[in-house]
Amino acid sequence: MNVVVLISGGGTNLQALIDGQLDGSLKINIQSVISNKADAFGLERASQADINTDVLDHKTFDSRESFDQALIKVIDQYEPQLIILAGFMRILTPEFTRHYLGRMINIHPSLLPKYQGLHTHKRAIEAGDKEHGCSVHFVTEELDGGPTALQAVVPILANDTPEMLATRVLTQEHIIFPETVKLFSEGRLIMENNDCLLDGKALPEQGLQYRNFEK
Ligand code: GAR
C-alpha cells in the first residue's frame, strides 16, 4: 500500500511507521514524508531510511486555501492509498479534508472526543482526570472530530507533569498508530457514513480501545 506521511516536528510516530515498513510488519511503501517545516527532525529520519521528502513551507503562501491546494498537488503525484498525519500541526481546509475523506488518518494525544486541539496533557491533569491517552481517527472537516478507530488509555499518576504524561502517552501512540495503518492496509478498517467499520462492524465512539496495551 502506497502511503505518504505528513509531519511538522520530531517524527517519533513517523519512526514507528518506518520501523514497521523496514521489519515487514507493515506492508506499506512510504512514498514521501512531507513537512510544512524545513527543520523538522522527522525529515532526517526519512532521509536516514532512504525515503523521499518534500518540504512545503506554509509561510510562503498567502492563504490557508492556497497552501492546502499546493499540498494536494504534492501528495497526489504519489497516488497514495492512505494519507497519514503524524504530528502535522495544521488546521486543514474543508476542501482538503473532503478530497481525502476515508483515506486520511490522524493521531491525536487525547481520548477523543475529549481535549480536541492543543495542550491536551496539561488540560487532562488540570481537570483532575484519572486517565488520558491517544486516539487515531479518520480526518473529517471537524477539527480532531472524525470517527475514532483505535484508542489507548494510560493512567494519570499523582505527581505527573504534562511532560511525564506526554511520554507515557507517546509510547502508546507508537503502538496504536502502526496497528491502525496495518488494519487499514489489510482492508479490515474502513470509514463509512462517518463511522469506523472493523471487519464490517461499526466500532463504538471510542473506537477499539486498548488499556495497558502491549505489543
Ligand atoms: C504526537 O504526540 C501527536 O499525537 C501530536 O503531535 C505529536 C507529534 O510527535 N499530534 C497532535 O497534537 C495533532 N493535533 P512526533 O512528531 O514525535 O510523532
Side-chain angles (χ1 to χ4, degrees):
M1 180 175 73
N2 286 340
V3 308
V4 295
V5 184
L6 274 59
I7 61 162
S8 300
T12 63
N13 278 291
L14 164 68
Q15 190 66 55
L17 299 170
I18 293 174
D19 292 347
Q21 174 176 309
L22 290 176
D23 71 20
S25 58
L26 286 179
K27 307 276 181 269
I28 59 169
N29 183 11
I30 303 174
Q31 301 278 87
S32 186
V33 171
I34 305 170
S35 174
N36 64 315
K37 292 194 173 168
D39 61 354
F41 183 68
L43 292 169
E44 297 275 326
R45 295 178 188 273
S47 299
Q48 274 166 26
D50 276 330
I51 295 170
N52 180 69
T53 61
D54 292 281
V55 175
L56 201 60
D57 183 351
H58 61 276
K59 291 198 220 82
T60 62
F61 291 83
D62 55 14
S63 68
R64 201 172 280 287
E65 286 72 22
S66 59
F67 173 76
D68 278 8
Q69 286 309 313
L71 187 55
I72 285 176
K73 285 212 176 85
V74 174
I75 294 171
D76 285 357
Q77 63 180 316
Y78 300 108
E79 301 184 355
Q81 285 135 290
L82 184 65
I83 291 87
I84 303 174
L85 308 184
F88 187 58
M89 305 305 276
R90 296 275 311 163
I91 292 172
L92 306 166
T93 57
E95 290 73 22
F96 186 86
T97 57
R98 261 186 244 129
H99 188 74
Y100 298 114
L101 197 63
R103 55 190 181 109
M104 178 157 66
I105 57 171
N106 178 49
I107 182 129
H108 183 75
S110 80
L111 298 173
L112 290 172
K114 277 186 138 180
Y115 309 123
Q116 295 160 334
L118 298 174
H119 311 300
T120 56
H121 312 293
K122 184 167 180 278
R123 287 157 67 200
I125 291 171
E126 284 175 1
D129 290 0
K130 295 278 170 281
E131 292 181 331
H132 188 47
C134 48
S135 309
V136 184
H137 65 95
F138 282 95
V139 177
T140 63
E141 285 183 36
E142 196 193 333
L143 178 69
D144 300 325
T148 293
L150 267 70
Q151 246 181 19
V153 182
V154 302
I156 297 182
L157 305 179
N159 296 315
D160 265 351
T161 61
E163 293 71 27
M164 288 158 70
L165 183 55
T167 304
R168 194 172 309 125
V169 170
L170 201 57
T171 309
Q172 300 298 307
E173 294 186 30
H174 300 159
I175 297 170
I176 66 166
F177 209 19
E179 183 63 22
T180 308
V181 171
K182 183 165 185 280
L183 290 171
F184 185 90
S185 72
E186 292 168 346
R188 296 180 58 195
L189 174 73
I190 59 166
M191 175 181 148
E192 203 176 83
N193 300 328
N194 215 41
D195 269 332
C196 278
L197 304 191
L198 181 65
D199 297 331
K201 275 202 206 147
L203 289 172
E205 190 190 19
Q206 73 271 22
L208 201 57
Q209 202 180 64
Y210 294 102
R211 288 173 174 270
N212 307 314
F213 181 56
E214 284 170 18
K215 229 177 185 172

